[in-house]
Amino acid sequence: MMSEKRRLHPAAILFTIVKMFKELIFTIGVGFFAFKEEGMAYFIIGGSALVIIALSFGILSWYRYTYRVEDEELRIEHGIIIRRKRYISKNRIQSIDLTQNVVHRLFKLVKVNIETAGSGMGSEASLKAVKLKTGEALREELKTAKKAATIESADAEQMEQDFPSETITKRRLFVAGTTSGSIGIIFIIFSVVFSDLDQFIPDSYYENTFNTIIGFSIIIITILVLALLLLLWLLGIAGTMIKYGNFTITKHPDELLITRGLLEKKQTTIPLRRIQAVGINESIIRQPFGYVTVYAEVAGGSIQKGEDFSTILFPIMKRTEVDDFLTKLLPEYVSERNKLKGLPAQAKTFYLVRSSMLLMLVAIAMLFLFPQFIWAPIIVLLLCMYIGLLRYKDAGFRIDGERLTLRSRVINRKTIILFHKRIQSFESKQYWLQKRASVATLKASIVSSFGAGTHYKIKDLSVDDAMEIADWYSFRDY
């Protein structure tokens, strides 16, 4: 029991100081460059005063921060001058996540994030550093609100062994890294960083390096570019392996528990009642190899948990393994998703025109302005038309009782499985060209991360199919 007042681990002082300096790093940098020529002594004096203030604030904040569990509530009191009290009822708690960065793991500590339905953009409460055992005990105690607290420990241990779970293998993790497509993101980061660094590099060194590279032969320059791309690719693999290393998902009676991370270990709990839909994402890189990512749209929570505003249930698996995975963890979402009803033939024209119209205008402009480069927009135009054809072929839907499966593609192919009771709104509309072709666009919306809505749209369904889904949603003749 945790009815007595407790303080965070003293390492919380360090986290508070580091956070302060992270927020002030831009100001400190500006001050350093402003005073480096003259007045460095003032900068040192000011910096020393800042360190003393940060240290004092960190110690006082740690001393004044207490927490305890009492009367079915988590009670937190904090504040140096103004005392603030926050009481969080167990019944309001949606999830309790445990996170360990490198410093946490060094001291066997954990950060406890507590989220409620109204957490919004951040956690309802965050205990920066507590002992790992204390964090786990706190999580168990806060989760007992709706449980009969008489489960014998031996039975609990037996139940723990029986909980179904899935763990990613190192080979799959490597495949996930090689096909993550993060090379582009890392390249952009490199470009931004180096574009800012050039102002700190001496001009003579910069010019000498540039002249040396220009003096290389085409072969050497090609090798250097390939080496850079290889380095970025390896960094992408390393980033994926660090992020999803030791990924394990376990199903408990009322929730899913996800553990992941090599450097920063995270434990995320997802109450089953908050899952609004389950999706299968097939990236255009992984799809030819038969690999997919399984994710869930989860209502409530904070944006900090977001994985592109969704929660990854499993980073990568074979397409043929999805049914076994869902049968083990979320059997109600197993569907005949490969037997979808597609779009009518007249919809193909809409998809081809929609995906290539802008490039056609560019190609026409290039033809008059730079006819020698007309081949470039034509190649891109053909590629866009191919993507449009894929979008047409992949789009479709299926109704199984109270379950609706929708599939669409922008670049990646996404299949979403949602239940009737989870759909917050449904919309079907036509513009005049669609009316002439007897097709319509439908949009189904659900509540998703941090209370925002997520929308799923299928364009150019036949009017009869759109009406069938509308009847299903409104219970007409259902």
Side-chain angles (χ1 to χ4, degrees), residues 28 56 270 319 349 436 439:
I28 295 172
S56 302
I270 305 174
R319 190 185 299 120
T349 305
R436 290 173 61 89
V439 296

Side-chain angles (χ1 to χ4, degrees), residues 181-472:
S182 56
I183 183 172
I185 299 173
I186 296 175
F187 181 76
I188 293 172
I189 295 173
F190 261 61
S191 302
V192 172
V193 170
F194 278 100
S195 66
D196 290 336
L197 278 179
D198 62 356
Q199 58 185 312
F200 303 111
I201 300 174
D203 291 342
S204 57
Y205 181 82
Y206 190 84
E207 291 175 3
N208 290 337
T209 304
F210 183 76
N211 291 330
T212 301
I213 293 176
I214 291 297
F216 288 160
S217 66
I218 295 296
I219 295 177
I220 294 179
I221 292 176
T222 304
I223 292 174
L224 288 175
V225 171
L226 292 176
L228 176 62
L229 293 175
L230 177 62
L231 174 63
L232 297 178
W233 183 58
L234 292 176
L235 287 175
I237 295 173
T240 301
M241 299 189 78
I242 289 171
K243 183 177 181 180
Y244 291 113
N246 299 323
F247 186 99
T248 301
I249 180 170
T250 305
K251 183 180 181 181
H252 291 250
D254 300 320
E255 64 192 15
L256 296 176
L257 176 63
I258 296 175
T259 304
R260 67 173 174 86
L262 290 181
L263 295 181
E264 186 179 42
K265 184 178 179 181
K266 290 187 176 181
Q267 289 186 353
T268 304
T269 55
I270 305 174
L272 296 177
R273 67 181 184 279
R274 285 175 50 196
I275 295 178
Q276 304 297 299
V278 170
I280 299 157
N281 182 33
E282 300 175 70
S283 79
I284 201 163
I285 299 175
R286 292 175 180 169
Q287 190 178 347
F289 303 100
Y291 286 107
V292 304
T293 297
V294 182
Y295 64 96
E297 297 291 355
V298 183
S302 73
I303 194 172
Q304 295 173 350
K305 194 187 290 186
E307 301 279 357
D308 293 331
F309 305 138
S310 302
T311 299
I312 300 294
L313 295 182
F314 210 80
I316 188 169
M317 66 172 58
K318 279 286 188 180
R319 190 185 299 120
T320 53
E321 297 170 348
V322 173
D323 281 344
D324 289 340
F325 174 80
L326 292 177
T327 300
K328 184 184 288 187
L329 298 177
L330 297 166
E332 63 274 24
Y333 285 95
V334 177
S335 69
E336 296 285 348
R337 63 185 179 282
N338 294 322
K339 298 179 180 178
L340 303 182
K341 191 171 184 179
L343 303 181
Q346 62 268 31
K348 184 187 295 185
T349 305
F350 285 94
Y351 276 80
L352 291 176
V353 172
R354 198 179 288 126
S355 61
S356 58
M357 185 167 54
L358 182 60
L359 264 298
M360 285 182 180
L361 297 176
V362 173
I364 293 171
M366 290 285 286
L367 182 62
F368 287 100
L369 298 176
F370 307 102
Q372 66 274 29
F373 297 116
I374 187 62
W375 54 270
I378 289 179
I379 292 175
V380 180
L381 176 64
L382 293 175
L383 183 62
C384 290
M385 292 181 71
Y386 176 67
I387 295 291
L389 187 62
L390 288 181
R391 290 173 183 166
Y392 164 73
K393 288 183 175 179
D394 288 331
F397 75 98
R398 180 183 177 86
I399 296 174
D400 291 304
E402 295 190 1
R403 189 174 50 211
L404 175 65
T405 302
L406 301 175
R407 176 175 290 166
S408 62
R409 175 195 290 274
V410 177
I411 299 297
N412 298 335
R413 189 169 80 167
K414 293 188 176 183
T415 305
I416 193 77
I417 305 157
L418 57 167
F419 280 86
H420 184 282
K421 62 183 179 182
R422 300 295 190 190
I423 299 176
Q424 298 297 311
S425 66
F426 177 87
E427 179 182 332
S428 177
K429 64 179 182 181
Q430 290 178 294
Y431 54 87
W432 66 275
L433 278 177
Q434 286 183 316
K435 284 184 179 179
R436 290 173 61 89
S438 298
V439 296
T441 297
L442 72 83
K443 183 173 75 174
S445 304
I446 60 172
V447 175
S448 186
S449 301
F450 60 97
T454 297
H455 314 288
Y456 303 100
K457 187 182 292 185
I458 303 290
K459 295 180 178 178
D460 309 319
L461 277 169
S462 73
V463 171
D464 291 340
D465 289 339
M467 289 299 297
E468 180 186 349
I469 300 175
D471 291 343
W472 171 81

Side-chain angles (χ1 to χ4, degrees), residues 55-111:
L55 183 61
S56 302
F57 180 79
I59 293 174
L60 290 173
S61 296
W62 168 80
Y63 183 76
R64 297 280 286 172
Y65 194 108
T66 61
Y67 67 94
R68 67 185 189 278
V69 179
E70 188 174 302
D71 295 335
E72 299 298 307
E73 291 178 328
L74 173 64
R75 300 185 173 184
I76 298 174
E77 299 180 11
H78 64 104
I80 297 175
I81 298 176
I82 300 174
R83 195 69 170 160
R84 294 183 174 88
K85 298 180 180 180
R86 179 179 295 176
Y87 297 162
I88 305 172
S89 170
K90 287 183 177 181
N91 292 322
R92 289 184 57 227
I93 294 175
Q94 297 282 349
S95 67
I96 306 161
D97 299 337
L98 306 183
T99 305
Q100 287 181 300
N101 60 27
V102 176
V103 177
H104 283 112
R105 299 177 81 167
L106 191 64
F107 294 102
K108 295 184 179 180
L109 305 175
V110 69
K111 179 181 179 182

